[in-house]
């Protein structure tokens, strides 16, 4: 069994020249924070969810004392304004855990995108630094020369040169671009500097990513809200992601006490 | 090859509104001790057994000098009293070893439950603490709000709030609830505090779990028996479980001397 | 692809009430030394060989400067004397490396045994001690009570009680008995004490195993030969087995200098 | 999904008694440097490329700020001179990461070779020493006695005896010979001494390999070029290979800063 994809809408959704924004967990979780924020702000609706036997074999207990399984989902936003591109938002608690599941997951997403008439993606990720960056810079790479110029030309929100700054980009944010290119889908990866600590919440990095997206897609975001709202919202979401990142095949079956104290770093 | 399921009964078994109790090994083995005790006390009969290529590739030598393969089995108990719910008891020496086999195993169990007319499960597990709890508390979580209230309402045997007390629940006791919810099966997990040491036999924790089960299902158990009988019975069973938990892919083929001395902690 | 089995004989072989003797590498390699010796002494002929994608992905350079792939093979010996049971001998450079390949390999062997009219096995292994045993004892376990008595009754070559002496028996020597029982094949495991060091050649342990086999099957072996012949023969064979045991998925592709000096311990 | 093979030529290529030269990354990357050099020098053309879900799940950012996926490719060279054997050149950024993908990859290559009318291979690799060799020696092994003599007879470029010098040969350079033998393909492995450090570029070792190939196949190479050209070319290529060798399943999704300083050793 590979990927179980559950449709969450009753009828087909027609989207206007959509772009898919990817925000799964990773270094500093800057992409996750940014795209989770968009789902909330834009009141996006769920279009499908994913499941695989390669998910962590554990469940989380939420604030209602009920269990939740790890989630990967796609939401969509249809704008009334026909000059705006509609959005698909790929969000979740986890990334696929190994090479095979990462590649097969990305191929499933690219296949679904055909059905949604979507040929462009923006993936997100963090560049893990040794110190917390005061004002995180955003770098950009792409699988298409023209699309890349589109993002870096102004040089205001996005740095001009990424070559030599980063090593390989690991996971869905890189592989979606690589497999995308082979399947006719253009894409960019937006990478924001952040602290390379697994429990760091890169709020500032997320904010810089949102500025780029706001500029590219004229989303009209109220970014002051980000700092206040997101911190409370995300602390809870991040609890799940952080704990799932520590569960692996070797973990003894059973329950652990909740992690000691409040050890999230907000920046 | 995934799961080889062997039927151990000659004809179909009809059960009265059954509930499945899961007691596989885990932290402190509190669930295993409790449900093994029920199989003995109630003289339950075997209904099926499981095998998979993902089992530890080793055999145990028993007190008759004969070899035994690792086991996962389901027993059943039909009560004469039609006011009592019949029971299915999932017991064994091991848990499936990785994500894929855990998920596929739980899906097989949920599928078998349909055939047995069973739509409700109680899973069990331990919460591993740093010190041996004098009087272990039992916490409860569920995949269904109404069923959860059912267990916590009295507040006598089960604590009211679990949120914030435990991190992810790893293994079959969590995944059975998660996948169960997706397949219309309601369930609770009962988690008893115990010492988080791999060789600890959480007898006290098991006793607290049995009090909850006794109260929920009116089993009429004689729990004084537990402390005396179980200790001798379980020490032998636990030898197997403990030794299998130390065997992995890296273990050099051959036999090892039996573990040094009697290092079980009973509590 | 699971197991590629190559037939090495032109026509079907009819054997007289055969028994299969297993001697794959393991702790102290006592079984391998013993059964390799039998193949040489009895001038057994190859009947089939095995290959799997789960073999170590490396080749060995032999004394003719030519490469050799890892091998697992079965040999057979037809005796002229119809009172003697014919033999099948399972030998090789490696054991299957993980749970799945161990179980699937044993199932293949048990399936082949049907075709050869063979319903009984003797597996071999070492019990790894902390010191080199002066006179290694041989223990015996089985999947059948009657067959076990057959081996231990005299108490001369085989110890009466194994329970409590060994922990789980890992690998083919245990799993062949476990799966064998499920498929109507009776078997015993003969386990000789040896030093638990990966580079130890348990010649003494192998000799004790051969005494048991000689006694059970009236093979008429010249065991004085063992100490002289085997040492030179086995040192070369063991070089391969030892080096393959150190190769794993993490080994960087390429060649390594041969292991430093002659670090085999012969005992 | 196993191996996705993409044809990079429009029509069938007919080659004159071709030989396949393998130069994938490994110890000191001596083979990779040598065969990459041949692709450049001979202006070879791409004939096919490989992809698998078992590739590292990451992408590299190149000097144009665009992403690149890990690559394994085959190039070909047709010579005008009919006395020369045509060449197939197997090159890439990575080796298959585990036993299964190594074996299945080699089987795919051997199958493709049938279609190209190719029955002979030369694989390459490094022998990792503790010190940088001043003048690296080249050793040779084979799956065919006659072919081996062909290479060692002069004793000028290739040492006469390899037995005892190297341990197992891990990866494609060994497995192609092993599986090749089973499928009627003859081959040799040329192994050059080099420093066993993961960031070492064994230029001298590569040069010695090229002398052997130049002598065997009358390629007419200008090896003075090697030292100048290769160093600049290969430093960039090696950046990718080095960084991919450090990415594994455990790497946290995201981007890393480029490796500190210029830590390639050229020798």
């Amino acid at each position: 069994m590979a990927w179980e994809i559950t449709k969450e809408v009753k009828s087909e959704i027609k989207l206007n020249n959509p772009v898919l924004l990817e925000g799964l967990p990773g270094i500093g979780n800057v992409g996750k924070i940014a795209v989770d924020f968009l789902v909330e702000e834009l009141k996006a609706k769920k279009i499908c969810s994913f499941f695989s036997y390669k998910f962590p074999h554990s469940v989380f207990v939420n604030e209602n004392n009920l269990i939740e399984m790890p989630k990967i989902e796609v939401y969509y936003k249809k704008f009334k304004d026909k000059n705006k591109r509609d959005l698909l938002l790929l969000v979740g608690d986890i990334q696929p855990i190994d090479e095979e599941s990462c590649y097969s997951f990305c191929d499933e997403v690219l296949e679904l995108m055909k059905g949604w008439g979507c040929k462009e993606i923006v993936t997100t990720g963090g560049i893990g630094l040794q110190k917390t960056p005061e004002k995180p810079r955003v770098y950009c790479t792409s699988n298409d020369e023209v699309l890349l110029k589109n993002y870096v030309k102004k040089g205001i929100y996005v740095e001009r040169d990424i070559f030599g700054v980063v090593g390989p980009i690991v996971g869905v944010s890189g592989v979606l671009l690589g497999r995308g290119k082979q399947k006719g889908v253009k894409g960019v990866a937006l990478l924001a500097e952040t602290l390379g600590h697994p429990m760091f919440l890169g709020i500032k990095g997320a904010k810089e990513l949102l500025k780029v997206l706001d500029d590219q897609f004229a989303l009209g975001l109220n970014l002051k809200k980000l700092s206040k709202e997101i911190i409370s919202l995300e602390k809870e979401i991040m609890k799940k992601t952080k704990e799932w990142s520590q569960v692996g095949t070797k973990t003894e079956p059973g329950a652990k006490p909740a992690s000691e104290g409040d050890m999230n770093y907000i920046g």
Side-chain angles (χ1 to χ4, degrees), chain A:
Chain A
M1 200 211 88
W3 287 94
E4 203 179 85
I5 302 171
T6 308
K7 219 165 143 181
E8 307 275 355
V9 288
K10 292 195 164 65
S11 51
E12 289 309 309
I13 308 287
K14 285 194 177 296
L15 299 165
N16 172 33
N17 190 19
V19 59
L20 183 138
L21 310 181
E22 173 269 322
L24 292 177
I27 292 177
N29 287 291
V30 288
K32 176 173 169 58
I33 294 168
V35 185
D36 279 355
F37 177 78
L38 286 178
V39 168
E40 277 289 318
E41 271 300 289
L42 303 174
K43 302 188 190 343
K45 298 186 183 130
K46 204 186 301 187
I47 191 169
C48 76
S49 59
F50 297 85
F51 170 72
S52 158
Y53 279 178
K54 293 277 189 122
F55 273 16
H57 56 320
S58 56
V59 299
F60 178 78
V61 180
N62 68 21
E63 65 269 17
N64 299 318
N65 297 325
L66 297 173
I67 59 103
E68 283 187 31
M69 282 199 54
K71 291 198 305 284
I72 298 181
E73 303 171 313
V74 180
Y75 288 76
Y76 75 96
K77 171 68 182 179
K78 270 179 87 66
F79 291 105
K80 292 192 174 116
D81 181 350
K82 286 306 152 204
N83 292 323
K84 272 181 160 165
R85 298 181 70 172
D86 288 338
L87 298 179
L88 288 154
L89 304 131
L90 173 58
V91 292
D93 300 313
I94 55 168
Q95 282 230 16
I97 58 170
D98 62 13
E99 288 87 353
E100 275 196 88
S101 52
C102 183
Y103 273 110
S104 64
F105 174 71
C106 290
D107 279 2
E108 293 283 354
V109 170
L110 291 161
E111 191 61 33
L112 285 167
M113 281 170 61
K114 282 190 205 171
W116 297 323
C118 180
K119 295 183 187 172
E120 195 177 317
I121 44 180
V122 179
T123 68
T124 59
I127 301 172
L129 304 181
Q130 304 244 14
K131 286 190 193 176
T132 316
E134 227 356 273
K135 182 156 163 49
R137 287 172 293 192
V138 177
Y139 292 87
C140 181
T141 181
S142 177
N143 64 10
D144 181 86
E145 207 177 337
V146 172
L147 188 60
L148 180 64
K149 281 198 186 129
N150 206 346
Y151 274 81
V152 302
K153 62 181 190 283
K154 294 184 199 172
I156 303 175
Y157 295 113
V158 176
E159 300 292 313
R160 283 191 195 285
D161 278 297
I162 187 176
F163 176 63
V165 174
V166 298
I169 302 168
V170 181
V172 170
S173 37
V175 171
L176 265 180
L177 296 191
R179 286 300 266 170
K181 183 178 174 90
Q182 291 172 354
K183 293 162 186 284
V185 169
K186 300 183 184 184
V188 297
L190 297 174
L191 307 165
E193 290 177 323
T194 186
L195 179 66
H197 190 284
M199 287 193 289
F200 188 71
L201 286 188
I203 302 283
K204 282 187 182 169
K207 220 165 166 178
E208 297 305 315
L209 287 178
L210 286 166
K211 283 183 191 168
V212 178
L213 294 171
D214 195 38
D215 179 57
Q216 276 292 122
F217 302 108
L219 297 175
L221 299 175
N222 173 1
L223 292 174
K224 283 205 187 95
K225 258 178 138 179
L226 182 65
S227 306
K228 293 179 210 165
E229 260 184 42
I230 256 188
I231 290 174
S232 52
L233 190 77
E234 204 65 25
K235 268 178 73 175
E236 214 37 71
I237 295 169
M238 280 315 305
K239 250 172 112 74
K240 274 195 288 181
T241 300
K242 178 159 51 77
E243 297 192 347
W244 263 311
S245 76
Q246 291 167 3
V247 169
T249 297
K250 298 272 145 47
T251 309
E252 198 185 356
K256 295 180 181 325
S259 311
E260 258 78 59
D262 179 353
M263 294 195 55
N264 280 333
Y265 294 88
I266 319 279

